[in-house]
Amino acid sequence: MIEWSESQQSIRQMVRDFVEKEIVPGLDEIEYNGVPPYDILRKMIRTFGMDELARQNFDKQIARDRAVEAGEVSEQPQADKGGSGAGGERAAMTLIPIIELSRHAQGLVTAMGVSMGLTGGAIMSKGTIEQKERWALDLLTLDKVGAWAISEPNAGSDAFGQMKTLARRDGEGGYIINGNKTWITNGPFADTIVLICKLDEDGVAPEDRKIVSFILDSGMPGLEQSKPFKKMGIGSSPTGELFLKDVHAGPERLLGGSEAGYGRSGAKSTFMQERAGVAAMALGMVERALELSVGYANERVQFGRAIGDNQLVQLKLAKMEVARVNLQNMVFRYIETMAEGRQMTLAEASAMKLYAAQTAMEVATEAVQVHGGYGYMRESRVEQLMRDAKILQIYAGTDEMQVIAIARDLRQRAGT
Amino acid sequence: MKLMVSVKRVVDYNVRIQVKPDGSGVVTDGVKMSMNPFDEIAMEEALRIKEAGNAEEIIAVTIGEQKAQEQLRTALAMGADRAIHVEVDEDIQPLTAARVLKALADKEQPGMVLLGKQAIDDDQGQTGQMLAALWDRPQATFASKVDLDGQKAKVTREVDAGLETIEVDLPAVVTTDLRLNEPRYVKLPDIMKAKKKPIDTTSLADLGVEAAPGLKVTNTAPPPERQGGKKVESVDELVSELKNRGLI
Ligand SMILES: Cc1cc2nc3c(=O)[nH]c(=O)nc-3n(C[C@H](O)[C@H](O)[C@H](O)COP(=O)(O)OP(=O)(O)OC[C@H]3O[C@@H](n4cnc5c(N)ncnc54)[C@H](O)[C@@H]3O)c2cc1C
């Protein structure tokens, strides 16, 4: 794939029209004044039938799960082996709205992606059939809002090592959970929460505790959801804390139906998905930053000529274009990978995320520079791109953690 | 009743048009193409007529190169039931298009043929009228409102003097103006489904249509670049400037 197909281009145009007509006019209310993003996202999802697509895929998956359960087919996912391309088309249709939304408000993508992709995705990949039917479908259509909670005040990059949220068996098949989680996307408004914690067992040392995960509902006794934090950027993605005090979860809430259902490896595969999405977000942001910068470079006159006539400004524009092309190629590569029914390795996904996050930040910062004082003003929109870009280097694993993951993989493959 | 809607592949309205250096036309290589916006309005109107229970089938037609099937796919994704592609590699002139549509109308017997009032590539605005003449049926051009009433249609037209409402017997030709409706967003699942809907391919020869070589494009040139303006201080100065330039 070297270019969007004609039909993908027309989808992009359509989504762009929708975003500009329906979302941008009310965006500041969501970005800065605390209006939750979910209603407008739902409107977009319904307008383009993304809910219908999710339902179709859901039904297929459930039918397959039942066949596996009945022993009719093997466990292997049938995902487009041999490359029928449908997986690629699906990936493109998921990425296009991400790119288009990120041009104006990356936060909307974060809120949507955490709910549909991470939370819904975690349940779809590891949940039991009952759990999928009870919780996942509503998340995949955004009828309900989801949160995926691993980070804690003292457990960030070292999430598994430092985790203090604990579940204890209640002796009747259920669990009592205590602890708190922070910086949780959608935390303040989530209806459904995938909570990753540790199992507190007698005779097991803290460092040996197993990772277990639960599906919780808003309003359960002992579960408190904070108000949204004030943040540097992505105001359209509400972020908050979760407090758990003796929350009682029955066995039906144990993700995957057993204590081994969704542990470290489950959480890691969720990270991977997240990382691919970051490249698409970065692409949308870089495209917009570049467009705005080229426009301003042509328009703004100083010393009797357009600022774009200066080589120092030209260099910035050229670097932005290089970044745009690279990011677009990464997105195309991801689509091709899906089209062939293959999975990216963790290292590859990490490399993509690292490059995308750093590049988005660099480009957005330079876009502000090209705009000078105007770039520092909210009206210019490039200052928002810069604030929104910073989060890409922090969540879903910091830049430093991506470096570690890439290097570890390289060294392992070299056999050291 | 069947509805027939013609859709044309044109350079997207967002694209900055560039004229080929040799003046033989405009650059289309690597340029985003899409459905003529007025045809999108015609498609939308057909869908509304069908959704109101006044038509059973919508047939989308395009005349053009192989790639014009993309626009048929869009029409099918919007909701057309089937599509006909009249494959022609040369540029199509309005009279040829009208002859093709006449041949298809004879074959399909639609109750209404809907067309955009013009295509935004060469802005000719003649096909609908020519079709009505060849087909010997009433025409309601520049429609901004279409109401069906049994075997008649009441159509409000946007004319230079304002709005004019006429009644036409069906079958009739309707060409659509900008304010008729706002075309819907296409749903992603419908784009997938459209890939499975049938497209019949045919040719001028199959339809027994002769291309009309009446018009020849001799040269294509960009409009002259706009000159910078001048600020004047007073009405007097304005009047004398205009006089100086021989404009009044
Ligand atoms: C807006 C927002 C939304 C979020 N959404 C969610 C969510 O939905 N769910 C969720 O669970 N979490 C979420 N998080 C949390 C996020 O995943 C963490 O912030 C992130 O993992 C980093 O952890 P930390 O903040 O504790 O940083 P720390 O781990 O304390 O890191 C601080 C700095 O030290 C560096 N560092 C740490 N260890 C090393 C090392 N070994 N080598 C080199 N450098 C190191 C880091 O890279 C970083 O630069 C969100 C955070 C934000 C800001």
Side-chain angles (χ1 to χ4, degrees):
Chain A
M1 177 171 184
I2 53 168
E3 190 44 273
W4 299 104
S5 73
E6 243 187 59
S7 99
Q8 288 162 349
Q9 281 182 34
S10 60
I11 297 172
R12 282 197 71 171
Q13 189 59 51
M14 214 168 56
V15 176
R16 183 168 302 180
D17 282 354
F18 178 88
V19 170
E20 282 167 6
K21 268 195 214 131
E22 305 283 336
I23 299 186
V24 170
L27 192 56
D28 282 359
E29 287 302 306
I30 301 173
E31 201 61 45
Y32 303 113
N33 297 335
V35 173
Y38 312 107
D39 283 343
I40 192 69
L41 285 169
R42 287 184 184 120
K43 185 167 181 198
M44 181 182 88
I45 286 165
R46 289 185 191 136
T47 299
F48 294 109
M50 291 156 70
D51 51 343
E52 210 176 307
L53 274 185
R55 240 172 257 123
Q56 285 168 9
N57 291 336
F58 179 84
D59 289 344
K60 264 189 230 154
Q61 169 86 37
I62 294 291
R64 213 192 124 65
D65 288 354
R66 289 201 195 288
V68 170
E69 209 178 51
E72 289 159 16
V73 289
S74 74
E75 196 92 37
Q76 287 302 314
Q78 47 171 60
D80 301 314
K81 279 276 152 52
S84 74
E89 203 52 40
R90 266 203 302 278
M93 287 195 186
T94 314
L95 295 179
I96 287 171
I98 295 179
I99 297 168
E100 291 302 325
L101 283 171
S102 299
R103 292 168 57 89
H104 296 277
Q106 190 266 99
L108 293 174
V109 179
T110 299
M112 181 175 81
V114 165
S115 192
M116 300 166 73
L118 287 201
T119 317
I123 299 173
M124 284 311 281
S125 75
K126 301 288 173 185
T128 62
I129 293 179
E130 292 69 36
Q131 288 171 339
K132 289 177 191 176
E133 289 182 326
R134 178 165 169 194
W135 285 291
L137 182 58
D138 288 342
L139 294 172
L140 299 173
T141 57
L142 205 68
D143 284 337
K144 289 205 169 150
V145 175
W148 186 84
I150 186 167
S151 305
E152 297 181 4
N154 292 312
S157 301
D158 187 16
F160 294 122
Q162 300 299 317
M163 196 179 279
K164 295 282 184 304
T165 301
L166 297 177
R168 267 195 86 82
R169 298 189 186 107
D170 68 359
E172 291 160 24
Y175 299 83
I176 308 287
I177 312 168
N178 279 285
N180 58 33
K181 296 283 173 185
T182 194
W183 306 317
I184 303 307
T185 299
N186 295 335
F189 300 103
D191 302 298
T192 306
I193 298 159
V194 166
L195 182 95
I196 296 129
C197 61
K198 284 191 169 175
L199 186 64
D200 182 13
E201 292 174 283
D202 290 336
V204 174
E207 62 274 18
D208 295 332
R209 284 171 181 152
K210 273 196 276 195
I211 300 288
V212 290
S213 303
F214 294 91
I215 309 171
L216 305 179
D217 290 311
S218 175
M220 285 173 75
L223 170 65
E224 198 193 315
Q225 298 169 253
S226 78
K227 288 214 180 80
F229 287 122
K230 300 236 179 279
K231 306 196 289 297
M232 173 193 272
I234 58 166
S236 46
S237 176
T239 316
E241 286 172 284
L242 304 173
F243 305 98
L244 298 104
K245 196 160 181 298
D246 292 331
V247 173
H248 183 248
E252 75 285 359
R253 293 182 178 277
L254 195 56
L255 181 50
S258 80
E259 287 176 359
Y262 186 82
R264 280 164 205 259
S265 67
K268 277 188 182 152
S269 73
T270 302
F271 287 152
M272 213 157 84
Q273 247 194 9
E274 207 181 3
R275 286 176 192 174
V278 170
M281 293 192 224
L283 176 58
M285 298 171 80
V286 164
E287 278 187 2
R288 184 93 199 289
L290 177 59
E291 278 170 29
L292 291 171
S293 300
V294 172
Y296 200 73
N298 282 342
E299 196 176 280
R300 175 75 172 170
V301 174
Q302 289 294 289
F303 301 101
R305 59 183 191 172
I307 57 168
D309 286 340
N310 299 296
Q311 290 185 352
L312 277 172
V313 175
Q314 291 171 3
L315 179 61
K316 293 185 200 305
L317 299 180
K319 282 186 169 171
M320 289 183 196
E321 172 64 2
V322 172
R324 186 193 68 77
V325 172
N326 282 338
L327 284 169
Q328 183 171 276
N329 284 339
M330 284 184 176
V331 167
F332 288 169
R333 178 175 167 80
Y334 176 74
I335 293 173
E336 285 293 312
T337 309
M338 295 295 120
E340 287 191 10
R342 287 196 298 129
Q343 281 277 318
M344 277 195 172
T345 64
L346 182 62
E348 193 179 348
S350 297
M352 234 166 87
K353 200 253 172 191
L354 175 65
Y355 179 82
Q358 289 187 336
T359 303
M361 190 65 211
E362 275 168 31
V363 167
T365 308
E366 288 293 64
V368 171
Q369 196 66 20
V370 168
H371 283 75
Y374 182 57
Y376 206 74
M377 301 296 121
R378 191 169 280 178
E379 191 194 317
S380 73
R381 290 286 163 191
V382 285
E383 63 86 36
Q384 186 197 342
L385 289 172
M386 179 171 163
R387 289 182 289 104
D388 286 359
K390 189 64 204 171
I391 190 58
L392 299 179
Q393 295 183 284
I394 297 173
Y395 67 15
T398 62
D399 279 4
E400 292 74 14
M401 290 299 118
Q402 309 301 335
V403 170
I404 291 170
I406 297 164
R408 185 193 296 131
D409 181 75
L410 286 173
R411 297 182 69 211
Q412 265 170 9
R413 276 192 286 164
T416 17
Chain B
M1 173 165 94
K2 280 188 203 172
L3 302 173
M4 197 160 98
V5 181
S6 73
V7 302
K8 187 174 187 188
R9 177 181 173 84
V10 298
V11 174
D12 188 84
Y13 68 95
N14 284 307
V15 170
R16 280 256 298 263
I17 300 287
Q18 282 183 318
V19 173
K20 286 186 191 161
D22 66 359
S24 64
V26 302
V27 177
T28 54
D29 277 353
V31 166
K32 184 174 187 299
M33 306 291 283
S34 33
M35 188 193 292
N36 177 37
F38 292 108
D39 301 347
E40 233 178 296
I41 295 172
M43 251 319 292
E44 175 65 35
E45 197 61 21
L47 291 169
R48 291 183 190 190
I49 292 171
K50 186 180 167 193
E51 283 161 2
N54 291 323
E56 288 79 48
E57 192 183 32
I58 300 173
I59 309 161
V61 178
T62 197
I63 311 165
E65 55 176 331
Q66 169 68 28
K67 284 189 190 148
Q69 290 205 0
E70 287 285 347
Q71 280 60 51
L72 288 180
R73 291 286 169 211
T74 305
L76 291 167
M78 284 179 82
D81 298 286
R82 61 190 170 90
I84 301 173
H85 178 204
V86 184
E87 206 174 333
V88 181
D89 284 331
E90 301 80 58
D91 266 351
I92 282 295
Q93 295 185 3
L95 186 55
T96 314
R99 284 178 184 167
V100 167
L101 293 172
K102 155 76 165 69
L104 289 171
D106 286 342
K107 204 168 136 202
E108 300 284 352
Q109 300 287 322
M112 190 184 283
V113 180
L114 296 105
L115 308 87
K117 69 167 181 176
Q118 68 201 70
I120 62 164
D121 47 7
D122 50 14
D123 283 330
Q124 301 226 28
Q126 311 184 55
T127 308
Q129 293 86 330
M130 288 176 170
L131 169 62
L134 294 175
W135 195 23
D136 199 18
R137 293 303 311 167
Q139 56 178 299
T141 50
F142 316 128
S144 68
K145 194 165 188 293
V146 176
D147 284 317
L148 285 193
D149 179 12
Q151 278 313 297
K152 289 181 193 311
K154 210 156 103 194
V155 179
T156 304
R157 308 177 57 224
E158 294 198 9
V159 291
D160 289 346
L163 296 179
E164 175 190 79
T165 303
I166 60 170
E167 210 175 63
V168 290
D169 289 329
L170 300 180
V173 174
V174 173
T175 77
T176 58
D177 215 320
L178 204 59
R179 278 158 290 269
L180 178 58
N181 60 47
E182 207 172 308
R184 65 196 58 195
Y185 292 106
V186 182
K187 293 190 170 198
L188 304 184
D190 294 338
I191 294 174
M192 309 268 222
K193 277 183 224 152
K195 296 193 169 143
K196 297 190 186 117
K197 290 188 183 175
I199 295 183
D200 282 335
T201 305
T202 176
S203 66
L204 295 186
D206 287 349
L207 293 171
V209 169
E210 218 178 303
L215 296 175
K216 208 191 237 156
V217 175
T218 54
N219 188 35
T220 307
E225 280 218 27
R226 269 179 65 172
Q227 304 295 317
K230 180 182 175 187
K231 276 198 179 139
V232 291
E233 299 294 333
S234 65
V235 174
D236 287 344
E237 199 188 332
L238 174 66
V239 172
S240 69
E241 274 293 336
L242 291 173
K243 276 189 179 149
N244 282 346
R245 290 164 199 240
L247 295 169
I248 51 174

